[in-house]
Amino acid sequence: MADVIALTYEISPDDFTRAGEASSDVKSKLKQVGVSPAAIRKVAIAMYEGEINMVIHAEGGKITVEISPTEIKMILADKGPGIPDIDRAMQAGWSTAPDEVRSLGFGAGMGLPNMKKYTDEMNIETTLGVGTTITMIVKL
Amino acid sequence: MDKFYHSVRLDPSLCKGCINCIKRCPTQAIRVRDGKAQINAKFCIDCGECIRICPHHAKIATYDKVETIRQYEYAVALPAPSLYSQFNNLDDVNIVLNALKLMGFDDVFEVSAAAEIVSEATRRYISEHQDQVPIISTACSSVVRLIRVRFPNLIPHMLPLNPPIEVAAGLAVEKALKETGLPREKIGIFFISPCPSKVTYVKSPLGTEKSQVDHVLAIKDVYPQLLSHMKAVGTDPEELSTSGKIGISWGRSGGEASGLFSENYLAADGIENVIRVLEDLEDEKFDNLQFVELNACNGGCVGGVLTVENPYVAEVKLKRLRKYMPVARSHMEEGTESYVPWTTGVQFEPVFRLGENMMESFSRLERVERLCKKLPGLDCGSCGAPTCKALAEDIVRGDASERDCVYYLRDNLHKLSQEVAILADDLAERESENRDKGRMSALKEYIQMISEEMAILDSKVKDENVTAEDEN
């Protein structure tokens, strides 16, 4: 038996109707494993925020979720514009989302703060013009 | 009572083993095994979708016969608000209530009257429990059952108040005891129901230990009898109604929420829509929401499988009927309050877990992932499971085998026949040199394996033909 179950999801750009599909799938799998409802809640919220970010800012990307008996690791990799000022992006309410996205009810500036809030570890690697990889861990 | 009691059942004699119900079931609770549908009691939430879809009427709802009324010295009818929406040109609820008495009931107690009390209690509960918003309605028992097995994070958001049917039953019992002086067992409380989900509620309630409803009758059974009695009621019926707009509105989607006098609510109907809203609620996608009303049936209770009228026509009729009614006629009084709150909690039932413990579930999930890559991903239903993923889950639970997949079986046959062909070529080439007994017996083994696999495939094809013939 392998120690880790890896799930991968392609996130398509500009498709809000599909944002949330990946987090929903992960959620149902975690329920099947019997992960505590509290941990499932954290993973679902953090991953959904990440998915939406990838749709709004990064023209999609790839999410890898590694489920092990001790932790859930989410790796969100995109080839978007990169984050120029991480400190600012981490502030609640700060957003660079365009108006048309805000008119859909997104872009409230809570994405990254919520991802940090609902995970036990979060690491951002970003290079302007190259892309961003965010790694989040929820301990079980 | 069994916590997984069900009112939705299968009549095996009518079941053809087709895949309509397995595809429609929102909790993937049905499998076709040995040519017949089987309902997994742990997954089923008694929503009745399979009753709606089954072309052979093999899915049935259990409820009581109208004649049961005669078993009691004093019988009280609790009409659901959706009952009033079944009749053409009805402008006075009292006609229906008086007809119920002509039908054999000694008294009536409107569920819509109790609904007004529940609306009042809900308004109070929401204002006192702002830390729990959004509060999720618990009036639809299929929704409560769904949350219990699938949305553990939402259990704390459930409105811990009894549904109107239970409050009505409690008040009706109290009234009947007082007025007749009879012992409780001689009094029969009959709910006239739009759905099988309420039958399940009465037999195995959630939130209360025991329901005060004794029997559940189907609207579709009561309807034809009522029609003839309604004509006999005449133009000036006795005033029996004790409910107004708020109570009557509970019969349709959005009605319960509108009784809360707040704009910040969401009302979803239809089980698939309900699941989508619950998923989003779980991900905390909604802001500023006070209340969430959810009804498993399209249109709300008017869309229940035990009703006779088209749900959207019924909704219009209900709207017309409400028009000249007062806002509400029943209020919380001293003494009624005790019937409203839940007396027991609802526990999460993790029925969808793959194994007994986390390690077992973990390794089973890993196997499911591997199997899903191997299976064709067509979700054809031929194996009896609704999707390839569901089959993979059945396999790791030990309830099915890879060979149940006809595509898997066919690929196996191809592989085997190729190997036989190679072996046969090889043998023919060497035949002149020396006779190799080992190769010959290997060939025989292969042929044996192929005929075994063929037999399985043949039996599957035969089953399908039998079904097709029956339908023609």
Side-chain angles (χ1 to χ4, degrees):
Chain A
M1 190 190 102
D3 296 333
V4 171
I5 299 170
L7 309 166
T8 55
Y9 302 92
E10 294 291 337
I11 307 301
S12 50
D14 290 327
D15 193 347
F16 283 97
T17 57
R18 287 182 57 187
E21 265 180 21
S23 55
S24 189
D25 188 64
V26 170
K27 208 162 65 175
S28 83
K29 284 180 172 134
L30 295 179
K31 284 177 189 172
Q32 288 183 319
V33 173
V35 169
S36 75
I40 293 174
R41 177 171 170 259
K42 288 158 83 178
V43 170
I45 295 171
M47 192 166 154
Y48 176 67
E49 294 283 9
E51 250 184 289
I52 287 289
N53 274 351
M54 290 166 92
V55 173
I56 297 175
H57 301 287
E59 293 177 5
K62 192 174 153 186
I63 300 181
T64 308
V65 180
E66 295 175 5
I67 307 170
S68 83
T70 53
E71 63 178 34
I72 316 285
K73 189 192 260 183
M74 293 162 272
I75 304 154
L76 290 72
D78 68 59
K79 295 192 172 70
I83 304 169
D85 187 341
I86 294 182
D87 287 341
R88 214 164 179 191
M90 289 301 295
Q91 282 171 21
W94 171 259
S95 176
T96 58
D99 285 346
E100 71 254 30
V101 170
R102 288 177 199 246
S103 70
L104 293 169
F106 298 102
M110 292 309 292
L112 284 171
N114 269 343
M115 285 155 74
K116 173 118 188 128
K117 182 178 158 195
Y118 286 101
T119 52
D120 298 306
E121 282 174 35
M122 181 164 110
N123 179 47
I124 305 177
E125 281 172 44
T126 185
T127 311
L128 286 181
V130 178
T132 303
T133 298
I134 298 180
T135 307
M136 299 184 284
I137 293 175
V138 171
K139 302 264 184 218
L140 298 182
Chain B
M1 183 46 78
D2 177 10
K3 66 180 173 184
F4 292 111
Y5 173 89
H6 290 292
S7 56
V8 175
R9 312 255 174 98
L10 178 84
D11 179 345
S13 67
L14 294 175
C15 179
K16 307 266 185 195
C18 69
I19 61 164
N20 284 299
C21 60
I22 62 172
K23 284 284 185 188
R24 181 71 162 260
C25 175
T27 58
Q28 299 197 327
I30 315 174
R31 299 290 182 274
V32 176
R33 297 261 153 81
D34 300 324
K36 300 283 175 195
Q38 289 176 3
I39 307 172
N40 180 329
K42 288 189 173 165
F43 295 1
C44 174
I45 54 167
D46 283 325
C47 65
E49 286 300 309
C50 55
I51 297 178
R52 246 187 266 278
I53 192 81
C54 180
H56 312 294
H57 307 290
K59 292 292 193 321
I60 44 171
T62 52
Y63 46 81
D64 297 300
K65 290 196 171 72
V66 177
E67 295 74 55
T68 322
I69 307 172
R70 297 195 208 113
Q71 292 173 10
Y72 293 87
E73 257 179 59
Y74 194 82
V76 185
L78 310 183
S82 47
L83 175 69
Y84 310 142
S85 69
Q86 306 294 301
F87 307 97
N88 289 327
N89 307 316
L90 179 71
D91 55 8
D92 186 357
V93 168
N94 287 307
I95 298 172
V96 176
L97 301 178
N98 279 281
L100 281 167
K101 286 179 90 171
L102 291 177
M103 215 183 109
F105 287 104
D106 299 287
D107 196 11
V108 289
F109 196 106
E110 291 183 277
V111 172
S112 47
E116 292 180 347
I117 294 167
V118 176
S119 286
E120 199 177 319
T122 307
R123 293 195 291 268
R124 196 187 300 168
Y125 186 87
I126 295 174
S127 72
E128 286 168 2
H129 296 83
Q130 280 296 306
D131 53 322
Q132 272 178 38
V133 296
I135 307 282
I136 304 171
S137 155
T138 51
C140 173
S141 12
S142 285
V143 170
V144 176
R145 270 159 208 274
L146 179 66
I147 293 173
R148 174 176 78 145
V149 295
R150 220 170 123 173
F151 298 97
N153 281 316
L154 299 177
I155 291 177
H157 290 279
M158 291 202 292
L159 180 70
L161 303 182
N162 284 326
I165 166 186
E166 194 54 40
V167 176
L171 292 169
V173 169
E174 191 186 293
K175 184 170 175 236
L177 287 172
K178 208 186 288 169
E179 285 178 8
T180 64
L182 288 167
R184 174 67 180 87
E185 64 271 16
K186 305 231 162 162
I187 298 165
I189 304 293
F190 290 78
F191 176 60
I192 301 168
S193 179
C195 68
S197 182
K198 283 282 187 275
V199 179
T200 309
Y201 173 82
V202 165
K203 300 265 188 194
S204 171
L206 292 173
T208 189
E209 289 85 0
K210 191 183 176 304
S211 174
Q212 288 300 320
V213 177
D214 300 307
H215 297 278
V216 179
L217 307 181
I219 285 183
K220 65 172 183 176
D221 280 4
V222 174
Y223 176 80
Q225 297 200 25
L226 265 185
L227 272 184
S228 56
H229 289 299
M230 278 165 71
K231 284 186 193 118
V233 169
T235 47
D236 191 23
E238 186 193 342
E239 180 73 39
L240 295 171
S241 177
T242 53
S243 64
K245 276 189 177 123
I246 291 180
I248 302 282
S249 298
W250 276 65
R252 60 167 180 88
S253 174
E256 179 187 1
S258 68
L260 303 177
F261 312 141
S262 159
E263 302 269 285
N264 299 326
Y265 72 83
L266 175 158
D269 56 314
I271 191 69
E272 295 296 341
N273 299 325
V274 165
I275 290 172
R276 220 175 306 156
V277 167
L278 290 171
E279 289 280 356
D280 287 354
L281 273 175
E282 198 174 45
D283 295 352
E284 301 186 8
K285 286 185 197 169
F286 302 109
D287 291 327
N288 306 320
L289 206 53
Q290 292 283 306
F291 189 73
V292 179
E293 177 190 325
L294 301 171
N295 289 292
C297 295
N298 288 326
C301 298
V302 289
V305 288
L306 301 181
T307 60
V308 289
E309 183 57 283
N310 170 305
Y312 298 97
V313 175
E315 202 183 321
V316 173
K317 289 181 184 171
L318 210 55
K319 232 181 250 172
R320 205 178 290 155
L321 187 61
R322 294 176 355 134
K323 209 170 167 188
Y324 300 106
M325 283 185 169
V327 174
R329 284 205 276 189
S330 287
H331 297 282
M332 186 84 81
E333 285 163 24
E334 224 173 295
T336 55
E337 221 162 323
S338 63
Y339 293 107
V340 182
W342 274 3
T343 45
T344 61
V346 171
Q347 299 300 317
F348 172 44
E349 300 288 349
V351 298
F352 293 107
R353 266 182 208 171
L354 290 169
E356 289 294 317
N357 53 58
M358 190 155 160
M359 286 315 286
E360 188 184 47
S361 301
F362 183 78
S363 70
R364 283 183 174 181
L365 177 64
E366 202 207 348
R367 247 189 97 202
V368 168
E369 291 299 305
R370 268 188 284 134
L371 280 166
C372 283
K373 287 190 183 114
K374 221 159 122 185
L375 293 168
L378 294 169
D379 297 343
C380 70
S382 299
C383 61
T387 61
C388 293
K389 187 168 168 275
L391 173 64
E393 288 161 10
D394 289 350
I395 293 170
V396 303
R397 286 191 172 106
D399 300 332
S401 124
E402 287 176 49
R403 283 172 156 194
D404 288 328
C405 173
V406 286
Y407 294 92
Y408 178 87
L409 204 56
R410 198 180 60 182
D411 287 348
N412 257 8
L413 282 174
H414 283 303
K415 265 184 232 152
L416 283 171
S417 60
Q418 272 168 8
E419 285 178 45
V420 171
I422 293 166
L423 195 63
D425 287 349
D426 206 15
L427 275 177
E429 214 173 88
R430 289 163 179 252
E431 204 177 24
S432 52
E433 297 162 24
N434 60 339
R435 303 251 157 117
D436 191 335
K437 287 225 166 100
R439 279 167 194 276
M440 210 55 191
S441 65
L443 183 61
K444 278 182 181 161
E445 270 173 40
Y446 271 120
I447 293 169
Q448 183 61 34
M449 279 159 76
I450 290 175
S451 49
E452 273 173 28
E453 301 275 70
M454 272 304 209
I456 296 172
L457 192 58
D458 286 348
S459 73
K460 280 185 194 293
V461 174
K462 211 174 91 194
D463 284 348
E464 276 167 21
N465 286 346
V466 169
T467 315
E469 270 167 29
D470 283 356
E471 273 173 4
N472 289 333

